[in-house]
Amino acid sequence: SLSSNHFKPQKSESAEDKQIELSKALMLNGEYVDNIGPLHVLFKEQRARSGALNLSLLIFDSSEIVEGIMFEKNWRDKGIVENIGDEMLSINAFIGEYRGSTSLTVNSMNSLSSNVGLPKIDILKKHAITLKQSLKYKESDKLLVIGPLKSVSTNTTRTGEHLQFKVEQTNQIESGIMFNFDKRSQKILNSSKSFYLIGKVTDYRGNVSLQSSWVIPSK
């Protein structure tokens, strides 16, 4: 369960503490919104150019999925990484944009319940579409869950900063890239097991490019 020292309990009877659904919160661009939820969060540590160790976040419920960030000062040494499980959460966040897409700057997270339903990975997979279907969203900036896929090949760029890859589904092969990739994602992409990509479909020199930010195993 989440640490009671760092996650505030909900006051279910208070009108001002009423939760706001993620879909409604995403319409409040430019505003700071309290009590967004119930939802789930995946996270990974990301070293910024400044040297700060921030959390990259994937925030989702059964109908919406969005990326976000939690700065080091708001999570480091607070037990957040160790205590986020499959519990439903609410978050307090600023609704902004990053590189043309909605992005949430999260200040804090709150546990809503110790009761766990479906694992959050299973909920995320319910958003999945096929590789063929994803091509309809080329240049739309829509965050997609694509899969399950199999890896064809991977290689790093000359600088070693980015991971290029090719993936396959039902004999269709597409190329993609992960900017500032993490070792866990690289390991999944180099394995023989199936996985899901979370990212966007973009154009690179006239060809489809899967710009992935997350990779999760299918099992």
Side-chain angles (χ1 to χ4, degrees), residues 108-125:
S108 62
M109 303 183 192
N110 308 303
S111 174
L112 293 178
S113 172
S114 59
N115 296 325
V116 177
L118 275 178
K120 59 186 176 184
I121 295 299
D122 289 342
I123 294 172
L124 182 61
K125 289 181 202 175

Side-chain angles (χ1 to χ4, degrees), residues 20-32:
I20 178 170
E21 293 178 4
L22 182 57
S23 59
K24 294 180 180 178
L26 296 180
M27 293 188 286
L28 302 175
N29 189 42
E31 296 187 29
Y32 187 89

Side-chain angles (χ1 to χ4, degrees), residues 39-151:
L39 49 76
H40 290 286
V41 173
L42 290 180
F43 63 88
K44 57 185 176 183
E45 296 179 3
Q46 190 76 52
R47 183 72 67 179
R49 291 184 179 180
S50 65
L53 190 62
N54 303 322
L55 288 184
S56 290
L57 305 174
L58 191 65
I59 303 162
F60 58 94
D61 58 17
S62 59
S63 60
E64 297 288 343
I65 177 172
V66 66
E67 292 184 290
I69 189 170
M70 194 170 194
F71 293 118
E72 183 177 37
K73 65 181 180 179
N74 290 327
W75 77 267
R76 197 88 183 263
D77 303 322
K78 294 182 179 180
I80 289 178
V81 168
E82 296 82 3
N83 291 296
I84 295 178
D86 280 331
E87 299 93 336
M88 301 298 290
L89 306 174
S90 71
I91 60 174
N92 301 327
F94 177 79
I95 315 298
E97 290 188 2
Y98 180 69
R99 294 180 176 175
S101 299
T102 301
S103 179
L104 274 57
T105 302
V106 177
N107 183 56
S108 62
M109 303 183 192
N110 308 303
S111 174
L112 293 178
S113 172
S114 59
N115 296 325
V116 177
L118 275 178
K120 59 186 176 184
I121 295 299
D122 289 342
I123 294 172
L124 182 61
K125 289 181 202 175
K126 289 182 179 293
H127 289 270
I129 60 175
T130 66
L131 185 56
K132 183 177 182 179
Q133 289 171 331
S134 73
L135 303 187
K136 296 187 297 184
Y137 296 95
K138 184 179 176 182
E139 297 295 307
S140 70
D141 278 330
K142 182 176 177 61
L143 192 62
L144 306 169
V145 181
I146 309 169
L149 305 169
K150 286 281 191 176
S151 181

